[in-house]
Amino acid sequence: MKRLALLLVCLAVLAAPGAAQADDADVTAAVTRWSLKIAKPAKQLSTRLSAASTPQEALGFLRSFTATATKGAGAIGATRSSSAKGTQVRTLARGAFAQYAAAGRLLIQAVKDVQAGKGRSIVEPKITKAIKLATAGSALLSRAAKLIPQLVGG
């Protein structure tokens, strides 16, 4: 009877929702899903932040962009890989989304600084750093994307 109870407990633990199983397919799916979600907003960054948009519109867009990037980093980070390449893809992609989120936060602060009447000497360094972060994130995501065929194609 004790063996049966132990077996049932083990089966319940294995079947429990959220019991993460290591699988490169999960990593690939998460990276693909979140890359598709961030692609359009990332491409729209410069046009959405142009002089034609109001600070409120820019802030709304940037908050959404930053939230998407933050959620993407979390979702990708929550996956578990089953190989060294899978771990590398997950690490690169999670880093990319973290960079995007950091860039978004800096741009939000830059818009708030403009609203507060702060000068170029305060705003421009934040924008420059945000551009560097977003560019670095893009490079990381590109590196991750190049490794994905090795995971799915074997």
Side-chain angles (χ1 to χ4, degrees):
M1 194 60 147
K2 286 183 181 181
R3 284 186 187 171
L4 181 59
L6 182 61
L7 178 62
L8 290 174
V9 169
C10 289
L11 287 174
V13 169
L14 291 174
Q21 223 177 352
D23 189 354
D24 288 343
D26 291 341
V27 173
T28 301
V31 171
T32 301
R33 182 179 323 111
W34 285 98
S35 294
L36 291 171
K37 285 184 180 187
I38 199 82
K40 186 177 177 183
K43 288 179 184 175
Q44 293 177 339
L45 265 175
S46 63
T47 56
R48 289 292 197 106
L49 301 179
S50 69
S53 66
T54 68
Q56 295 313 68
E57 290 170 338
L59 284 173
F61 174 78
L62 287 170
R63 285 183 181 120
S64 174
F65 174 80
T66 304
T68 299
T70 301
K71 288 176 188 171
I76 292 166
T79 62
R80 297 291 167 248
S81 57
S82 56
S83 71
K85 286 273 189 230
T87 299
Q88 190 176 10
V89 168
R90 182 174 61 87
T91 301
L92 289 168
R94 190 199 167 286
F97 278 81
Q99 297 276 358
Y100 292 149
R105 287 189 298 272
L106 272 173
L107 290 170
I108 288 169
Q109 188 57 54
V111 171
K112 288 180 178 181
D113 287 347
V114 168
Q115 285 180 308
K118 295 184 180 175
R120 289 179 81 143
S121 64
I122 292 175
V123 175
E124 282 184 5
K126 290 177 184 170
I127 293 171
T128 301
K129 186 170 182 177
I131 291 168
K132 287 180 182 176
L133 287 167
T135 302
S138 182
L140 289 173
L141 197 54
S142 292
R143 286 176 52 202
K146 287 178 184 174
L147 291 173
I148 287 177
Q150 295 174 32
L151 295 179
V152 291

